Amino acid sequence: GQSLEQPSEVTAVEGAIVQINCTYQTSGFYGLSWYQQHDGGAPTFLSYNGLDGLEETGRFSSFLSRSDSYGYLLLQELQMKDSASYFCAVSSPLYNQGGKLIFGQGTELSVKP
Amino acid sequence: DTGVSQDPRHKITKRGQNVTFRCDPISEHNRLYWYRQTLGQGPEFLTYFQNEAQLEKSRLLSDRFSAERPKGSFSTLEIQRTEQGDSAMYLCASSFTGTQGYTFGSGTRLTVV
């Protein structure tokens, strides 16, 4: 089977840095993805880690440690518009050559002024 | 490229009725996915197509659910004899083999009364 764990809620202030953790258990592993979803909106792709280490995209970075089955999303210089739900998702060679994603339950980030 | 389109955006139906949703993926994308999302949860995998072939269907899906992707372009998801537990947001996503990240549509919100 497979499972992902991430905190249900995180609160931070504007301008701060926040880290959202994700631990996973899966049989076989291709990579860890992160998605952002605003209330009533569609999930949007943020980043993908297939190898250990840090991937940086503007204010957002994502990290993966395959040996620890752990990853995180780091958001810097938080803005009010970053208030949203963030989902980690795993892909596995067992899931149609990596095509299918299994999502975590999401972390609701609230950014306060 | 207008992204992934889903129709309708909202559907209210009486219990026992059949409903059908449509998804138009990004034209160059060969993979198409259907997910279901309930409030406070991550997207839950329903089924997956590569071109016109349906490669996987979730065991969570009862026989009341069926999906098609004729000619490998748009897809339809039909729910027969709807139940109140079917009330959810139905998300469609598409991707291209070898690339990371899905593009999600805005979803169809189904309410069964």
Side-chain angles (χ1 to χ4, degrees), chain A residues 2-86:
Chain A
Q2 62 281 324
S3 66
L4 296 95
E5 288 192 17
Q6 50 182 131
S8 58
E9 295 179 348
V10 173
T11 301
V13 298
E14 219 174 352
I17 299 172
V18 73
Q19 179 174 311
I20 300 174
N21 298 320
C22 175
T23 57
Y24 60 86
Q25 285 187 316
T26 184
S27 302
F29 178 82
Y30 262 161
L32 187 70
S33 302
W34 289 92
Y35 285 77
Q36 177 192 61
Q37 186 178 31
H38 288 98
D39 268 351
T44 56
F45 173 70
L46 292 177
S47 69
Y48 172 79
N49 294 73
L51 300 173
D52 288 355
L54 194 67
E55 294 284 339
E56 298 181 72
T57 309
R59 294 186 298 113
F60 294 1
S61 304
S62 57
F63 172 82
L64 175 67
S65 169
R66 287 176 296 172
S67 60
D68 295 323
S69 298
Y70 163 75
Y72 65 73
L73 180 69
L74 191 73
L75 298 84
Q76 301 182 71
E77 301 171 18
L78 280 174
Q79 302 175 9
M80 298 295 290
K81 68 178 182 179
D82 297 329
S83 292
S85 292
Y86 292 84

Side-chain angles (χ1 to χ4, degrees), chain A residues 35 37 42-43 45 48 87 96-97 99-101 103-105, chain B residues 31 33 35 37 40-43 48 56 100-102 104-105:
Chain A
Y35 285 77
Q37 186 178 31
F45 173 70
Y48 172 79
F87 298 92
N96 306 111
Q97 296 136 26
K100 171 179 142 185
L101 289 178
F103 285 82
Q105 295 203 336
Chain B
R31 290 177 166 177
Y33 312 83
Y35 281 78
Q37 187 177 29
Q41 301 295 313
Y48 155 59
E56 187 175 348
Q100 300 305 330
Y102 291 177
F104 278 91

Side-chain angles (χ1 to χ4, degrees), chain B residues 46-101:
Chain B
L46 295 179
T47 191
Y48 155 59
F49 291 86
Q50 180 151 305
N51 300 312
E52 66 276 10
Q54 187 174 19
L55 297 187
E56 187 175 348
K57 183 176 175 179
S58 169
R59 288 173 297 199
L60 301 173
L61 231 56
S62 74
D63 291 341
R64 298 184 296 108
F65 287 72
S66 62
E68 294 183 342
R69 193 184 182 196
K71 303 178 183 177
S73 55
F74 72 91
S75 176
T76 58
L77 178 68
E78 181 183 17
I79 309 174
Q80 296 182 328
R81 305 181 302 282
T82 53
E83 302 172 354
Q84 285 191 319
D86 297 331
S87 295
M89 176 73 84
Y90 289 84
L91 293 165
C92 175
S94 68
S95 70
F96 189 76
T97 307
T99 64
Q100 300 305 330

Side-chain angles (χ1 to χ4, degrees), chain B residues 7-14 17-21 79 82 86-90 107-113:
Chain B
D7 183 71
R9 290 295 307 276
H10 304 275
K11 178 71 177 179
I12 300 175
T13 191
K14 292 184 178 179
Q17 297 294 304
N18 299 344
V19 293
T20 300
F21 310 141
I79 309 174
T82 53
D86 297 331
S87 295
M89 176 73 84
Y90 289 84
T108 294
R109 181 167 296 284
L110 174 66
T111 302
V112 182
V113 297

